[in-house]
């Protein structure tokens, strides 16, 4: 070891940094390895005024470079200065450590980047990278821009925060486009950044903006302009719901014609088919709970809606009430339950809305079960022409389809609007209000009928009169009774006599006839003729008050088909010329129906024709008039069916027979039911175990 270098290391050992530094710097060019080593120690030691870790690192690099270039023999020679690979590594570790902790005192991205660049092989490199990434991420967030996040993602692809960074980048990028809240901006985002996680949100935003009105036109436009949008199926369904909301044959037919590319077109075609199909209730015995369950079948007896309900009603506006667990809801004809069974009571749909009741309060739902009004009414009527009566706090008024009172609830009772006027009841009197809620006819009447042909029957101070819609008195209040109009004539009663007036209130037929209670029904013109009563006998007059049938009968029915049933002591039939067509020995006779007169003799019923010939013998304990070519007859408590030609269609051994339609009967026997076609004379469907 040279004397000078020896003195330098000796000075270093006693912390004489000035002397050691002087010698090392003087000898550095000649002896770079031992001098760089010594200077590296001096500059990396913080207890002297020369402490500078960056200079120390520069001397370390010089040391390492020169040491690495030595041959083995020369490296061994360096041991005399205490310099070997391990010593150099320890010096490096010290320098790297001191510098790293210096950087940690103020860990900016720039300082951390510089450390990683200068101190490439530092044992703290990974830790530094981690801190660098954290600081860079924090810095990008503080800048709060798309560009700062993009720079972070591109510059630090291996950062632990890269996924979060990408998510935030996608979010900030999306928000930049979303700021405009326009369809064009969202669409541009989708096309420019198809890989973004916010593409779906952009697609949803387009859907929300374009269909905000929720109108048919809006959904049509969306479907046409954005066929690849993932909301396309939902848009189709919303369009379908709105376009077919009436659930009518016309609505389904128009939908099929207009939207041929609807994905579920076959289901709409099926709905259209069902609109033309009468569905009939059927029932089965459910052994699981020992109860009857109901469903619907078609005219072929095929099950359309399986029997799974405790009760059901017929379809109205495409919807049928069904009951489950004592709660009511609605189903469509395809069996889809669009209104859950959650209500205590429901009423048939009218104008697309149904009244429902729950916990004693009422409101409206639409056909898809949405409660479109609060359930806070005490009583509700169905909508007619957009108006419904409603009650709250014990008083009645009228609401429109905003479900707000446009006529305030101040009445004790109200009646539906008819010809622009509604009857109201208050303080035990009647009057009328118009659609503006104005009491156009004061509430002063003891009775008020509805307006027909512009006139209404009203009662005041014990007498009846007629008023028009302006409360003008058409007929003074001096009559005991006034009848409703029949073929332009009204019966008016005074002092137990009656005559007829026309719609203007003019007396057409004077007070010539004797009043009794049944006259209000009998004395109504039909086909230009009316039964009248005189001297306790009945006859028939025409509109000119000409006596067509003299008042000689103790009872007389309306003339139908030119024939009337009349009575002296017994019943018989006469024609319009008062010619007898059936002798007067019958216990009872009724007006003709479908060319047949129902008659009773010796407590048995039969039927005669227009000539008075007995077509159906006196066999039955009860009989209905003929309807659609058939009459229901009974022996004892059991029913049967006969035709106009007296053919027995169903023998009298059924508990009940009722017409479902012109060509279908519902029959029950021994608590079993079925459907019978009287034309085909066959059963459409029979309950399992039915003995018929």
């Amino acid at each position: 070891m040279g004397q000078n270098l020896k003195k330098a290391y000796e000075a270093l050992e006693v912390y004489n940094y000035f002397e050691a530094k002087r010698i090392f710097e003087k000898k550095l060019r000649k002896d770079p390895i031992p001098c760089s080593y010594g200077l590296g120690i001096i500059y990396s030691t913080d207890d002297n005024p020369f402490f500078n870790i960056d200079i120390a690192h520069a001397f370390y690099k010089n040391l390492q470079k020169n040491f690495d270039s030595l041959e083995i023999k020369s490296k061994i020679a360096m041991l005399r200065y205490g310099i070997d690979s391990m010593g150099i590594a320890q010096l490096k570790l010290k320098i790297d450590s001191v510098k790293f902790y210096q950087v940690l005192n103020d860990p900016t991205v720039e300082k951390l980047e510089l450390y990683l660049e200068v101190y490439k092989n530092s044992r703290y490199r990974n830790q530094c990278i981690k801190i660098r990434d954290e600081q860079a991420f924090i810095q990008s967030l503080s800048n709060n821009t798309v560009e700062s996040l993009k720079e972070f993602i591109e510059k630090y692809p291996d950062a632990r925060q890269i996924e979060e960074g990408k998510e935030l980048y996608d979010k900030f990028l999306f928000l930049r486009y979303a700021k405009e809240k326009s369809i064009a901006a969202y669409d541009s985002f989708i096309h420019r950044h198809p890989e973004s996680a916010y593409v779906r949100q952009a697609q949803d935003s387009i859907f929300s903006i374009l269909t905000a009105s929720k109108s048919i036109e809006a959904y049509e436009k969306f479907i046409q302009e954005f066929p690849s949008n993932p909301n396309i199926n939902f848009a189709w369904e919303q369009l379908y719901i709105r376009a077919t909301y009436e659930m009518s044959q016309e609505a389904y037919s128009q939908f099929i014609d207009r939207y041929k590319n609807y994905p579920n077109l076959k289901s709409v075609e099926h709905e259209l088919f069902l609109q033309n199909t009468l569905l009939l209730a059927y029932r089965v015995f459910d052994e699981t709970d020992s109860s009857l369950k109901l469903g619907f079948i078609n005219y072929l007896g095929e099950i359309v809606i399986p029997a799974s309900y405790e009760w059901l009603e017929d379809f109205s506006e495409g919807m049928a009430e069904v009951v489950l667990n004592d709660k009511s809801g609605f189903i469509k004809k395809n069996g889809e339950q669009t209104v859950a069974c959650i209500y205590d009571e429901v009423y048939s749909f009218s104008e697309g809305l149904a009244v429902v009741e729950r916990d004693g309060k009422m409101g409206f739902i639409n056909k898809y079960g949405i409660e479109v009004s609060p359930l806070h009414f005490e009583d509700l009527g169905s909508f007619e022409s957009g108006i419904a009566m409603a009650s709250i706090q014990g008083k009645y008024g009228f609401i429109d389809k905003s479900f707000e009172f446009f006529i305030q609830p101040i009445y004790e009772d109200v009646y539906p609007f008819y010809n622009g006027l509604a009857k109201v009841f208050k303080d035990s009197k009647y009057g009328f209000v118009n659609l503006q809620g104005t009491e156009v006819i004061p509430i002063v009447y003891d009775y008020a009928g509805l307006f027909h042909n512009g006139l209404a029957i009203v009662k005041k101070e014990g007498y009846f009169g007629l008023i028009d819609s302006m409360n003008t008195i058409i007929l003074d209040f001096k009559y005991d009774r006034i009848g409703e109009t029949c073929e332009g004539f009204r019966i008016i009663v005074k002092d137990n006599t009656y005559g007829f007036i026309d719609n203007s209130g003019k007396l057409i037929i004077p007070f010539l006839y004797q009043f009794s209670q049944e006259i209000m029904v009998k004395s109504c013109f039909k086909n230009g003729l009316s039964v009248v009563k005189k001297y306790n006998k009945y006859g028939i007059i025409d509109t000119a008050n000409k006596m067509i049938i003299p008042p000689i009968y103790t009872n007389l029915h309306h003339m139908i088909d030119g024939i009337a049933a009349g009575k002296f002591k017994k019943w018989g039939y006469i024609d319009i010329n008062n010619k007898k067509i059936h002798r007067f020995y019958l216990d009872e006779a009724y007006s003709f129906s479908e060319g047949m007169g129902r008659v009773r003799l010796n407590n048995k019923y039969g039927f005669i024709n227009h000539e008075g010939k007995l077509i159906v013998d006196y066999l039955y304990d009860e009989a209905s008039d003929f309807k659609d070519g058939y009459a229901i007859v009974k022996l004892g408590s059991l029913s049967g069916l006969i035709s106009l030609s007296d053919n027995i269609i169903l023998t009298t051994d059924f508990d009940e027979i009722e017409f479902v339609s012109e060509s279908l009967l519902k029959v029950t026997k021994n608590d079993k039911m079925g459907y019978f076609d009287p034309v085909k004379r066959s059963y459409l469907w029979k309950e399992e175990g039915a003995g018929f």
Side-chain angles (χ1 to χ4, degrees), residues 189 239 599 606:
F189 173 81
L239 174 61
V599 292

Side-chain angles (χ1 to χ4, degrees), residues 462-482:
Y463 291 97
F464 289 89
L466 283 176
I467 60 172
D468 65 13
S469 58
M470 300 300 292
N471 200 36
T472 302
I473 297 174
I474 304 301
L475 194 64
D476 288 336
F477 294 93
K478 58 183 181 181
Y479 299 99
D480 300 322
R481 298 288 295 272
I482 300 176

Side-chain angles (χ1 to χ4, degrees), residues 270-289:
H270 181 60
E271 295 253 33
L272 176 60
F273 170 76
L274 290 174
Q275 293 308 305
N276 299 319
T277 304
L278 176 66
L279 298 186
L280 306 166
Y282 82 103
R283 65 188 189 185
V284 297
F285 182 75
D286 187 348
E287 295 182 352
T288 60
D289 60 1

Side-chain angles (χ1 to χ4, degrees), residues 131-180:
I131 297 171
R132 185 273 316 272
D133 291 348
E134 290 175 354
Q135 292 301 312
F137 187 57
I138 292 170
Q139 182 175 306
S140 69
L141 292 180
S142 65
N143 291 336
N144 198 30
T145 65
V146 172
E147 289 74 19
S148 63
L149 283 165
K150 182 179 181 182
E151 181 182 357
F152 173 80
I153 293 167
E154 292 175 348
K155 197 169 183 179
Y156 308 110
D158 298 323
R160 180 175 57 85
Q161 299 85 359
I162 194 67
E163 292 303 321
E164 186 179 357
K166 287 180 178 179
E167 289 177 6
L168 288 171
Y169 170 75
D170 283 351
K171 179 180 179 181
F172 287 0
L173 186 63
F174 172 70
L175 291 176
R176 174 177 288 180
Y177 284 86
K179 188 176 182 180
E180 294 184 24

Side-chain angles (χ1 to χ4, degrees), residues 49-272:
F50 307 112
F51 174 68
N52 189 312
I53 201 66
D54 291 325
I55 296 175
H57 184 264
F59 281 115
Y60 154 73
K61 290 180 68 176
N62 190 52
L63 167 65
Q64 186 70 62
K65 181 181 71 171
N66 284 286
F67 186 80
D68 288 343
S69 66
L70 292 177
E71 295 181 356
I72 294 177
K73 181 179 178 180
S74 298
K75 287 181 179 179
I76 293 173
M78 288 294 112
L79 290 174
R80 65 178 179 270
Y81 301 112
I83 300 172
D84 59 7
S85 296
M86 184 175 293
I88 295 171
Q90 288 175 345
L91 177 61
K92 179 182 184 301
L93 178 59
K94 179 183 178 182
I95 294 169
D96 289 350
S97 177
V98 171
K99 182 62 178 179
F100 180 65
Y101 285 103
Q102 277 185 348
V103 172
L104 289 186
N105 287 330
D106 184 20
T108 66
V109 174
E110 293 74 15
K111 290 179 180 180
L112 291 162
E113 289 280 13
L114 183 59
Y115 181 85
L116 291 170
E117 181 181 349
V118 175
Y119 299 83
K120 286 184 167 55
N121 298 317
S122 170
R123 68 179 294 179
Y124 297 99
R125 182 174 182 81
N126 290 340
Q127 191 174 351
C128 185
I129 290 173
K130 180 179 178 182
I131 297 171
R132 185 273 316 272
D133 291 348
E134 290 175 354
Q135 292 301 312
F137 187 57
I138 292 170
Q139 182 175 306
S140 69
L141 292 180
S142 65
N143 291 336
N144 198 30
T145 65
V146 172
E147 289 74 19
S148 63
L149 283 165
K150 182 179 181 182
E151 181 182 357
F152 173 80
I153 293 167
E154 292 175 348
K155 197 169 183 179
Y156 308 110
D158 298 323
R160 180 175 57 85
Q161 299 85 359
I162 194 67
E163 292 303 321
E164 186 179 357
K166 287 180 178 179
E167 289 177 6
L168 288 171
Y169 170 75
D170 283 351
K171 179 180 179 181
F172 287 0
L173 186 63
F174 172 70
L175 291 176
R176 174 177 288 180
Y177 284 86
K179 188 176 182 180
E180 294 184 24
K181 296 182 179 178
S182 69
I183 292 174
Y186 288 121
D187 196 37
S188 177
F189 173 81
I190 293 168
H191 285 91
R192 291 184 181 184
H193 307 283
E195 76 291 342
S196 173
Y198 285 84
V199 165
R200 179 55 193 264
Q201 192 167 339
Q203 292 168 328
D204 291 345
S205 297
I206 289 173
F207 175 75
S208 297
I209 293 172
L210 197 51
T211 63
S213 67
K214 302 188 184 304
S215 65
I216 290 176
E217 294 74 18
Y219 288 112
E220 282 180 345
K221 186 174 182 181
F222 175 81
I223 290 166
Q224 182 179 1
E225 295 184 4
F226 297 96
S228 60
N229 189 294
N231 293 287
I232 193 70
N233 288 334
F234 182 72
W236 269 119
E237 290 310 308
Q238 294 303 304
L239 174 61
Y240 164 74
I241 287 171
R242 284 156 178 77
T244 63
Y245 183 79
E246 293 180 3
M247 298 182 186
S248 65
Q249 179 178 347
E250 182 181 7
Y252 289 121
S253 181
Q254 288 179 351
F255 187 90
I256 292 168
D257 291 341
R258 186 167 184 175
Y259 305 108
K260 295 188 182 300
N261 55 338
Y262 176 55
N264 299 317
L265 195 62
K266 288 189 178 299
S267 67
V268 188
E269 291 171 345
H270 181 60
E271 295 253 33
L272 176 60

Side-chain angles (χ1 to χ4, degrees), residues 528-599:
L529 301 176
S530 176
V531 174
V532 292
K533 186 177 183 180
K534 199 169 187 179
Y535 311 124
N536 290 321
K537 302 290 183 178
Y538 294 91
I540 294 178
I541 62 172
D542 63 14
T543 57
N545 198 30
K546 179 183 178 181
M547 194 66 69
I548 304 300
I549 303 295
I552 59 176
Y553 299 96
T554 59
N555 205 343
L556 191 62
H557 291 325
H558 285 287
M559 187 163 283
I560 305 294
D561 298 339
I563 298 173
K567 181 182 180 183
F568 290 117
K569 289 184 178 180
K570 292 286 187 176
W571 285 86
Y573 285 94
I574 55 174
D575 65 14
I576 198 167
N577 297 313
N578 200 30
K579 181 181 178 181
K580 182 170 57 179
I581 65 169
H582 192 285
R583 290 184 299 134
F584 287 79
Y585 63 81
L586 300 169
D587 296 333
E588 198 164 4
Y590 298 86
S591 296
F592 271 77
S593 174
E594 297 190 1
M596 299 286 274
R598 178 163 52 106
V599 292

Side-chain angles (χ1 to χ4, degrees), residues 582 596 599 605-609 611-618:
H582 192 285
M596 299 286 274
V599 292
Y605 284 89
F607 290 88
I608 65 169
N609 64 13
E611 288 74 41
K613 180 181 178 182
L614 187 66
I615 303 300
V616 178
D617 205 355
Y618 302 102

Side-chain angles (χ1 to χ4, degrees), residues 424 429-432 439-445 460 470-471:
V424 295
K429 299 291 183 181
Y430 293 92
F432 290 84
E439 293 176 0
V440 292
I441 295 176
I443 306 174
V444 297
Y445 297 108
K460 190 175 182 181
M470 300 300 292
N471 200 36

